[in-house]
Amino acid sequence: MKVQLEGKRLINSLWVFSFMLFVIFCNIQIKAQPLPKAIYSTGEAAEDLVDYAQSANWNKVKLKIDEINKLYNSYRSDVIHNKLSPQLLDFYSFYVEQLNKDLTTKQGDRIAFDANQITGIGVDFENHFNHKISPEVSRLDYLGRELLLEAKDNNSVAVNRRLGDIDETWAGLKPVIISKHGNKQATEFERLVSKIKSLKGKLNSVEFKQTVNKYSDQIDKLEKLF
């Protein structure tokens, strides 16, 4: 009886081990694949859309939304084919729908917000593929745009939450930046984040906006390390 029990335990252990190897193999297989064009191009278009919407450049806003609409089916197909998060895919579809609704009423701030959520979702999907630039850099870029959007609404709770997200993301990225001899870029990035935190009581100030813009410029310098 004891031998049978030990035999069953061994079989169960081997089954669990085999399953874990299968999961790891699947993740490696996905990671080895390049980032699908539809996901990449949608993220780029959505990032541009944030700027165009805030400057009320309606011709370019429409062009970018049309571009996102054309990529929609391919985007969904890529996510489903690679068995990525169906919940995030639902959010992606929701925000694309919102973009088209907000365009009819020309709600620039809403379009900018919706577009930035699409960039954030894309960053999460990007993490599953082989991409030259670390997804954490893209996430920091997304979070910087979130700071400006939330500050515009004077939403200090959301700003604090986003600053916490920045700290968490940076903690994982910093060792990578240092390994690429980016000590100078890392020091300047941390200085700017510290200054943004010191301006939390002045969300509508020119200084806050200028500092966040410098933060975004510094992220461009982090990207160049890859």
Side-chain angles (χ1 to χ4, degrees):
M1 188 72 177
K2 184 177 180 181
V3 173
Q4 288 180 338
L5 183 59
E6 289 179 352
K8 287 181 179 179
R9 285 175 178 170
L10 178 60
I11 291 171
N12 287 337
S13 297
L14 289 172
W15 185 90
V16 171
F17 181 68
S18 299
F19 178 75
M20 289 174 66
L21 285 178
F22 173 76
V23 171
I24 292 170
F25 175 75
C26 288
N27 286 335
I28 292 173
Q29 286 294 94
I30 292 177
K31 274 282 190 180
Q33 296 177 31
L35 180 65
K37 184 178 179 181
I39 295 177
Y40 173 78
S41 297
T42 295
E44 292 292 297
E47 188 174 336
D48 289 339
L49 186 52
V50 174
D51 294 331
Y52 294 147
Q54 292 186 100
S55 61
N57 190 331
W58 296 111
N59 288 332
K60 289 188 175 180
V61 164
K62 187 177 186 311
L63 285 173
K64 288 299 173 181
I65 292 178
D66 286 345
E67 183 180 343
I68 290 171
N69 287 335
K70 288 175 183 176
L71 292 165
Y72 179 79
N73 288 334
S74 295
Y75 191 112
R76 285 188 58 86
S77 178
D78 286 332
V79 171
I80 292 169
H81 174 74
N82 288 289
K83 297 180 173 60
L84 304 181
S85 170
Q87 291 83 8
L88 281 179
L89 185 59
D90 287 342
F91 279 118
Y92 156 77
S93 295
F94 169 78
Y95 285 116
V96 171
E97 183 180 342
Q98 287 301 117
L99 281 180
N100 286 279
K101 285 182 179 178
D102 293 337
L103 178 60
T104 61
T105 54
K106 292 190 174 181
Q107 296 188 56
D109 287 345
R110 290 301 310 171
I111 290 173
F113 176 82
D114 297 337
N116 203 41
Q117 304 321 301
I118 290 173
T119 72
I121 293 167
V123 169
D124 192 272
F125 288 146
E126 180 182 318
N127 193 45
H128 296 275
F129 298 94
N130 182 20
H131 193 44
K132 181 182 177 182
I133 299 173
S134 172
E136 283 84 2
V137 178
S138 300
R139 177 162 172 74
L140 288 174
D141 205 11
Y142 153 75
L143 290 169
R145 291 189 295 273
E146 283 289 283
L147 286 178
L148 289 179
L149 292 168
E150 299 295 359
K152 207 168 185 180
D153 289 337
N154 203 31
N155 190 338
S156 59
V157 174
V159 167
N160 277 328
R161 188 181 299 121
R162 290 317 189 189
L163 285 169
D165 292 337
I166 287 171
D167 286 341
E168 183 179 355
T169 305
W170 177 244
L173 178 63
K174 184 178 179 179
V176 179
I177 297 299
I178 298 301
S179 72
K180 293 181 177 294
H181 309 291
N183 300 64
K184 181 179 178 180
Q185 292 89 332
T187 299
E188 177 61 11
F189 179 82
E190 290 178 342
R191 185 189 73 80
L192 289 168
V193 172
S194 179
K195 186 171 182 182
I196 290 169
K197 290 177 179 178
S198 74
L199 295 169
K200 287 190 296 184
K202 303 176 181 178
L203 296 183
N204 290 318
S205 68
V206 172
E207 189 178 9
F208 182 88
K209 184 176 180 180
Q210 288 177 340
T211 306
V212 177
N213 284 335
K214 288 179 181 177
Y215 159 103
S216 297
D217 291 340
Q218 190 63 22
I219 287 174
D220 292 338
K221 294 179 182 178
L222 296 180
E223 286 183 351
K224 291 177 181 177
L225 294 172
F226 290 84

